[in-house]
Amino acid sequence: MAKKQVDGFKSGNEMAAIAAADINYHVMGYYPISPSTEVAQYLDMMGANGKHNVKLIAADGEHGAAGICYGAATTGARVFNATSANGLMYMLEQLPVQSGTRYPMVLNLINRAVSGPLNIHCDHSDLYFALNSGWIIVTAANPQAVYDLNIMALKIAEHRDVRLPAIVSYDGYITSHQKHNIKTFADEQDVRDFVGDVDYDAYAYIGQMKKGPVTVGAHMKGDDFINNHYQMSLANDRALEVFEEVAKEYEKLSGRSYPLVEVYGDEDADVALFILNSSGDIAKDAVDELKAEGKKVKVIRPNIVRPFPAEAILDALEGVKVVVAMDRADSAGAKGGNISHDLKAVLHDYGRSDLTVINRIYGLGGKEFFIEDAKALFELGFDTIAGSSTALFDYYGVNKGNEEQTRAMIHRQLEPMDPDRYKTGKISAEWDEETQKVKVKVPPLRNLTAKPKRLASGHGACPGCGIFPGLELFFKGIEGDIIMVNQTGCAYVITAGYPYSAHQQHYIHNLFQSGAATLSGVAEAIFQLKDRGEVEFDDDATFVMVTGDGGMDIGMGSAIGAALRGHKLIMVEYDNQGYMNTGAQMSYSTPLGNRTSTTNIGSVRVGKQYHHKDTAQIMAACNMPYVFTGAESSPQDLVKKGAKAHWYAKHVGPVYGKILIACPLNWKSADHDGTNVIKAAVDSGFFPLYEVENGVTTITYDPKGEKRIPIEEWLGYMGKTKHLLKPENHELLESLRSEVDRRFRKLQAKHEHPDL
């Protein structure tokens, strides 16, 4: 008899988090990327209120998250993660390490298009990259299946005959965010009894005292390596049987069944649609409509794709004349997607040459799939049976663009650039031999108002967003053109949505971790081309990389590399204290105690539990010629630093700058209060304004005496920090105050003693 369950109305991401809490994993290493980020958010919210004991560890990127998970798994701990698209790509090299050393865990892969160009919506390109990772891969069509398959996946992965990590794959922004009627177990102990205790005797684990010392990951020669992979193949073969065994057990527990392959429609169907995940539910509605017209059709949807359930699929295709195989991802140049090729290989191996396979690539980048589309694809099969000449491979849903309309939209990019447009002649910067510093002269800001903006109006920034006031003030100090590279983040997302661009000058977007490296390549290539006389290039042009939204977590290695190599470029970080473009998750620049969507406030935990990273000091330690901090509340100071940064990047080498900017939406502050919030951060000493020029630190604005305000005044502006002012959070407040004061004293010492 099924265990007691409760009804609810929840999304796939909520269900993944609830399953993880019910299991009570030991560790989740994670890094935010849409649309998977909610899983960690929901789990953190539950953890803050004592609903589970899972240790959530925020990584510096998905590669780091995968490393955290692998390390935890080697101890025998139960490990959980969630990612999407480029997040999977960044951790990809870690996946076969984990499967090859046979340490189970569960990774939720919330399907999203892999860049480029960037697209955050659903397709299966990330799933297809995972197919050869050696992981078990189950596919969840709806939120209920997300919950159920997460529970089943752990039991399958840990089975002694399998011992492979598992992926639960479901559709981003469809299954992940859409809410459905669901059931969850009333007592999480029923879930824990079902998955059982960790079998520590099944394998060798780091830290276990029952056995001798364990070495994990010793390199192998060919004889052992092929044996290792053969053993993994045997484990995959057994995994199909284990899936069915676990599914039967789970049906008794829950009343819900999960066959290897789900079939919906006529047993004696003439045409079948072979399709993965949520599109299968849409196709079921098409089946109902076509059956009402007297047509014999069925939908075949696997619940597992690795290992590939060949015999179950063959059984489902018995008697079918045409199968339309749908791939929500392409394999460029292969004339078919990966799953359709798997299907064709099975049919070939089992001698089903009588069955025609029509393959269509569909739904890329979130292109929607409707009942009418499913019906049209079934009709392709009937047309083929009737003798029509049907292309066996094609893309479904391609539309021809309008060249004239596109040209009108991108007219700025078709006009020659004017190199003098951004040269006012009112700003000067020159080396001062006496002070051994750059001397800058900047006119009053009113004299620079006619200088054009680098970013056109009409972008999609939130009300009160501080990114553009901060960046534009900095850019005012730069005379001449800029070539900008932007890592993924708010500043990119809201300014460059094809075919529109708010950028008035050359601009490149690249991935979150790659901005500084990308700009290094751009700069050195242009210098080479110019030296060889192959291009004309304005000598006053400046190379600028803009990052923010946590980009100096995942992109820190790239930035340090660019700094150490000495490229002539500027790296500017707009610091909004979180991953705001993905939903206000914690970053390493989030201050102690702050509320974010992954550092919630609850009965057992309040906000972020450790202090913020001081990126400017880290970059200064790379011995860069110029490092600075800036804020829109001190506009003249920021413009001067822009001019000085321009000089150093042109004449000496790399520059790093950190600009504190307001994010009213996620700071929970008033839209019109941005400058006041930033000024309070500066005047409280939390965000000191200074520069490090050739190793010498100078505080450029010191809020002494009456100018210095208590940190409470700054915290009181923001909903994300007001809880720190409550008596019960006094200890957190004092810890933050103490750290702010300590860092400011240290900075003052450096200001007073140039050799520090």
Side-chain angles (χ1 to χ4, degrees):
M1 183 177 176
K3 295 291 185 178
K4 183 180 177 182
Q5 296 171 65
V6 293
D7 295 327
F9 188 62
K10 298 187 182 297
S11 69
N13 283 346
E14 288 177 280
M15 294 295 270
I18 292 169
D22 285 353
I23 291 167
N24 203 27
Y25 281 94
H26 295 97
V27 172
M28 179 185 187
Y30 74 94
Y31 186 80
I33 182 170
S34 300
S36 68
T37 315
E38 284 187 335
V39 178
Q41 292 174 199
Y42 288 126
L43 203 55
D44 182 84
M45 196 178 303
M46 289 186 278
N49 288 291
K51 299 297 175 90
H52 62 74
N53 298 316
V54 183
K55 176 66 174 179
L56 275 76
I57 305 174
D60 58 334
E62 289 88 357
H63 197 280
I68 289 167
C69 290
Y70 180 61
T74 66
T75 71
R78 283 183 167 151
V79 183
F80 180 74
N81 196 0
T83 194
S84 299
N86 295 75
L88 179 92
M89 300 302 290
Y90 196 31
M91 67 170 63
L92 194 59
E93 72 169 348
Q94 184 69 64
L95 300 191
V97 174
Q98 185 138 359
S99 58
T101 50
R102 308 293 291 277
Y103 286 104
M105 66 164 284
V106 174
L107 167 67
N108 278 250
L109 179 59
I110 295 85
N111 303 134
R112 166 185 147 179
V114 172
S115 300
L118 184 76
N119 179 291
I120 67 167
H121 300 289
C122 176
D123 67 29
H124 295 160
S125 47
D126 51 5
L127 168 62
Y128 282 22
F129 274 104
L131 291 174
N132 290 332
S133 65
W135 289 47
I136 306 297
I137 302 178
V138 298
T139 51
N142 51 59
Q144 185 65 66
V146 171
Y147 178 76
D148 296 335
L149 288 172
N150 261 280
I151 296 168
M152 290 171 54
L154 179 63
K155 194 172 179 70
I156 295 165
E158 289 185 346
H159 193 283
R160 282 195 172 205
D161 293 347
V162 178
R163 295 208 51 80
L164 289 169
I167 287 171
V168 180
S169 168
Y170 58 96
D171 288 346
Y173 294 113
I174 303 171
T175 307
S176 67
H177 283 64
Q178 291 178 0
K179 292 179 181 283
H180 288 212
N181 292 320
I182 56 83
K183 290 182 182 294
T184 56
F185 291 101
D187 185 351
E188 66 269 13
Q189 191 60 47
D190 291 332
V191 175
R192 294 170 194 176
D193 290 343
F194 176 76
V195 296
D197 295 330
V198 175
D199 184 359
Y200 289 108
D201 293 326
Y203 206 58
Y205 293 110
I206 295 293
Q208 297 296 319
M209 302 301 292
K210 293 180 181 179
K211 300 176 183 178
V214 174
T215 297
V216 174
H219 60 84
M220 291 182 175
K221 294 184 178 180
D223 288 345
D224 293 318
F225 191 77
I226 197 168
N227 287 347
N228 173 275
H229 280 252
Y230 177 66
Q231 290 167 1
M232 289 171 62
S233 178
L234 294 177
N236 269 275
D237 292 342
R238 182 73 175 100
L240 289 174
E241 298 171 357
V242 172
F243 181 101
E244 292 184 294
E245 293 167 9
V246 171
K248 287 178 182 177
E249 290 181 53
Y250 192 73
E251 185 174 5
K252 293 177 183 177
L253 185 77
S254 67
R256 292 179 293 277
S257 65
Y258 288 91
L260 292 170
V261 174
E262 183 180 348
V263 181
Y264 183 85
D266 293 299
E267 286 188 13
D268 58 345
D270 295 315
V271 179
L273 191 67
F274 187 85
I275 199 162
L276 300 185
N277 283 3
S278 64
S279 296
D281 282 344
I282 296 167
K284 287 179 183 180
D285 292 332
V287 166
D288 292 339
E289 292 187 14
L290 290 171
K291 284 179 68 176
E293 298 173 13
K295 294 181 177 178
K296 295 181 178 181
V297 292
K298 70 168 69 169
V299 173
I300 301 172
R301 181 176 63 193
N303 284 316
I304 183 169
V305 293
R306 282 297 179 270
F308 199 64
E311 293 183 0
I313 290 169
L314 283 169
D315 290 343
L317 288 170
E318 185 67 34
V320 171
K321 297 173 183 175
V322 176
V323 57
V324 183
M326 303 301 295
D327 281 290
R328 202 162 193 165
D330 52 1
S331 180
K335 293 295 182 182
N338 296 78
I339 293 296
S340 67
H341 282 317
D342 284 349
L343 176 62
K344 290 176 186 177
V346 168
L347 296 174
H348 177 271
D349 290 348
Y350 284 82
R352 285 297 309 274
S353 58
D354 59 309
L355 179 56
T356 300
V357 180
I358 298 171
N359 179 218
R360 291 293 181 267
I361 308 295
Y362 83 106
L364 301 187
K367 186 173 175 62
E368 294 191 83
F369 183 72
F370 298 106
I371 296 172
E372 291 73 18
D373 297 314
K375 290 173 69 175
L377 292 162
F378 276 117
E379 292 297 344
L380 273 180
F382 286 113
D383 290 344
T384 302
I385 292 171
S388 295
S389 178
T390 304
L392 296 182
F393 168 75
D394 207 346
Y395 283 68
Y396 177 81
V398 175
N399 299 302
K400 186 176 181 180
N402 185 319
E403 184 177 342
E404 184 177 337
Q405 185 180 51
T406 302
R407 280 180 169 273
M409 291 175 177
I410 62 171
H411 64 91
R412 282 199 314 274
Q413 297 173 34
L414 304 176
E415 298 169 0
M417 291 179 63
D418 178 5
D420 296 323
R421 187 180 180 203
Y422 293 95
K423 296 177 181 178
T424 66
K426 299 176 180 179
I427 297 173
S428 66
E430 58 185 22
W431 180 253
D432 187 327
E433 286 290 344
E434 183 179 344
T435 63
Q436 291 293 292
K437 294 181 179 180
V438 173
K439 186 176 182 180
V440 175
K441 292 183 179 179
V442 174
L445 287 181
R446 62 179 178 273
N447 294 347
L448 297 175
T449 54
K451 190 172 186 176
K453 292 184 176 182
R454 311 283 179 162
L455 293 127
S457 58
H459 51 69
C462 301
C465 174
I467 293 174
F468 299 103
L471 288 179
E472 287 291 0
L473 277 171
F474 174 71
F475 290 148
K476 290 287 187 190
I478 297 177
E479 294 280 89
D481 290 338
I482 64 170
I483 294 176
M484 186 192 299
V485 167
N486 209 165
Q487 294 186 175
T488 305
C490 286
Y492 157 63
V493 172
I494 59 183
T495 60
Y498 183 83
Y500 301 102
S501 174
H503 296 273
Q504 307 279 35
Q505 305 209 273
H506 289 303
Y507 174 83
I508 303 170
H509 162 257
N510 203 1
L511 304 175
F512 221 179
Q513 65 272 26
S514 303
T518 302
L519 188 62
S520 303
V522 171
E524 296 303 333
I526 286 179
F527 293 146
Q528 282 286 314
L529 292 167
K530 179 176 176 290
D531 289 347
R532 299 183 189 194
E534 296 178 33
V535 296
E536 292 183 14
F537 183 69
D538 179 13
D539 287 338
D540 286 325
T542 309
F543 299 95
V544 182
M545 188 277 285
V546 175
T547 184
D549 299 286
M552 284 299 283
D553 293 347
I554 191 170
M556 177 61 82
S558 176
I560 288 175
L564 296 176
R565 291 191 298 267
H567 302 290
K568 292 181 176 180
L569 50 79
I570 301 171
M571 294 173 275
V572 178
E573 176 188 6
Y574 61 86
D575 181 12
N576 50 15
Q577 300 183 342
Y579 290 96
M580 303 314 187
N581 61 306
T582 57
Q585 295 82 25
M586 183 210 84
S587 78
Y588 292 158
S589 71
T590 304
L592 177 76
N594 277 220
R595 178 205 294 267
T596 71
S597 60
T598 51
T599 55
N600 286 280
I601 299 168
S603 58
V604 299
R605 192 177 69 243
V606 177
K608 187 175 176 234
Q609 298 294 294
Y610 49 93
H611 289 293
H612 61 288
K613 176 173 66 177
D614 193 339
T615 321
Q617 288 295 304
I618 294 171
M619 298 307 290
C622 295
N623 296 312
M624 300 172 70
Y626 188 56
V627 171
F628 71 88
T629 63
E632 64 169 282
S633 59
S634 298
Q636 199 82 8
D637 176 74
L638 185 50
V639 173
K640 287 180 68 174
K641 287 170 177 172
K644 190 174 284 190
H646 178 207
W647 189 92
Y648 273 104
K650 180 180 177 181
H651 296 284
V652 184
V655 171
Y656 168 81
K658 185 184 187 79
I659 304 172
L660 184 66
I661 66 98
C663 180
L665 176 67
N666 294 311
W667 287 8
K668 312 300 180 190
S669 58
D671 295 345
H672 62 270
D673 256 349
T675 302
N676 294 331
V677 179
I678 297 302
K679 188 175 190 306
V682 173
D683 287 345
S684 68
F686 170 80
F687 192 83
L689 300 183
Y690 66 96
E691 59 188 11
V692 182
E693 191 170 356
N694 298 311
V696 177
T697 298
T698 303
I699 296 174
T700 58
Y701 171 76
D702 191 349
K704 294 179 179 178
E706 293 182 358
K707 290 182 180 179
R708 184 73 180 260
I709 63 172
I711 198 170
E712 288 92 335
E713 192 171 325
W714 168 55
L715 299 174
Y717 273 108
M718 300 173 289
K720 70 164 185 162
T721 52
K722 283 184 178 179
H723 60 278
L724 292 173
L725 306 182
K726 294 180 178 180
E728 60 266 30
N729 295 321
H730 178 74
E731 189 175 333
L732 266 178
L733 174 63
E734 289 307 311
S735 179
L736 178 59
R737 188 200 316 277
S738 174
E739 181 65 13
V740 167
D741 291 345
R742 185 191 69 81
R743 293 188 189 188
F744 201 89
R745 289 195 304 272
K746 190 173 180 180
L747 193 67
Q748 286 176 318
K750 290 182 176 182
H751 172 83
E752 294 164 2
H753 304 280
D755 289 336
L756 290 181

